[in-house]
Amino acid sequence: MLYLLRDTFFPVLVFLHAVLVGAPANHGRGRFERAHYAVRKAGRLPRAVRESSGLARADTAAAFWTHGDAGTPAKLFQLELPGSLRRSFNLASLPNTDWEDLTRDGAGRLYIGDFGNNRNQRRDLAIYRLGASVGQPVVDTISFRYPDQHAFPPRRGRRNFDCEAFYWYQDTLHLFSKDRSLRQWTKHYVLPARPGRYVATLRDSIRLNRPITAADISPDGRTVALLAYGGVFLFENRPGRRLFDGLKRFRALPRTGQAEGLMFLSDSAFLVSNERGRLFQATRR
């Protein structure tokens, strides 16, 4: 019973902590500027989509893909703003252990991140790559493990091997950890975006004071967005430089609730979905 209560109320505690703590402190990586974005309600997901956990661009500017979290059917849904369902795609042949995010590469292939790891004890972390022809896709698997995880699970204060956020960029997948402790360090890992078994490369880490729940990169490759409870972090992406070393901005999102999906609509606007099916659009001013 104690374990059940802990697993039920701990996410609530983390959420409240994140919303109340404000913008991240300067932990030796430079201050966060204020990001000037206007935020408005953009629509609502249909009831068929339960707990949208990831977003990725589809074939038009207003169309996007999404999926449910652990415990929901293994399906992809293609929608169009403000939330009309265009089609659904059954992926019952794939396990949905804990699908947490979605991204798309330059060839139109989709990547499903089955790397949710709440208890930090999984040894079957995977990313599924779907061919561009979604009607009858070829599914490839990218299996991986973290280079710095040696216990399954680690001690409670060291459980930082959950992941709910990633994006594709230049044939590389960029993953961001969700710290299950109150320390709230975000680790940045990279993987090749091709089938195989890999040990992820740990590239960097930063303390953001909030758990990260989604990620994306702008179409021009210049801005990375990390969605968190109650806000979004925006990092300038420059070749040859670690992501967390560049210009950093933060935009509070106090009205979006427990948001878990994010994708760029353009270089200056992004879409956010929350667990209650609401959609919000943020546009740079």
Side-chain angles (χ1 to χ4, degrees), residues 102-285:
L102 189 64
T103 190
R104 179 178 172 175
D105 67 16
R109 292 174 295 201
L110 291 170
Y111 297 76
I112 302 171
D114 189 359
F115 41 45
N117 192 17
N118 290 356
R119 297 185 179 182
N120 281 229
Q121 61 187 14
R122 287 185 62 181
R123 297 176 184 263
D124 59 347
L125 302 172
I127 296 166
Y128 305 117
R129 187 179 75 175
L130 279 63
S133 176
V134 180
Q136 193 68 35
V138 176
V139 179
D140 297 309
T141 301
I142 301 167
S143 300
F144 70 98
R145 65 178 178 86
Y146 298 110
D148 49 339
Q149 182 171 11
H150 308 293
F152 298 84
R155 290 182 297 168
R156 181 156 300 280
R158 297 183 179 274
R159 294 187 183 180
N160 194 5
F161 300 102
D162 190 11
C163 181
E164 295 188 5
F166 80 139
Y167 64 82
W168 176 94
Y169 182 63
Q170 295 184 343
D171 296 324
T172 299
L173 296 171
H174 297 254
L175 286 68
F176 299 88
S177 69
K178 181 180 182 182
D179 199 341
R180 305 302 297 188
S181 75
L182 290 176
R183 297 171 68 242
Q184 295 308 317
W185 281 90
T186 297
K187 295 190 287 187
H188 177 195
Y189 296 92
V190 293
L191 285 168
R194 55 181 182 271
R197 300 184 67 87
Y198 302 99
V199 178
T201 299
L202 177 58
R203 182 167 287 186
D204 202 359
S205 64
I206 189 172
R207 192 173 186 180
L208 296 177
N209 287 339
R210 299 166 186 254
I212 299 302
T213 60
D216 199 14
I217 189 168
S218 59
D220 63 7
R222 298 175 66 179
T223 305
V224 169
L226 300 185
L227 181 65
Y229 292 157
V232 62
F233 301 95
L234 297 155
F235 298 88
E236 182 184 32
N237 184 47
R238 284 192 179 181
R241 186 173 65 182
R242 293 187 303 177
L243 181 65
F244 300 145
D245 284 340
L247 176 67
K248 293 176 277 291
R249 292 171 293 154
F250 177 77
R251 173 59 159 94
L253 300 173
R255 298 183 180 180
T256 59
Q258 191 169 332
E260 306 229 340
L262 179 146
M263 72 169 208
F264 276 95
L265 295 165
S266 67
D267 293 330
S268 59
F270 58 85
L271 186 70
V272 170
S273 65
N274 71 14
E275 66 171 2
R276 294 187 176 182
R278 295 188 176 94
L279 297 168
F280 300 86
Q281 181 174 327
T283 305
R284 190 166 62 223
R285 291 185 287 193

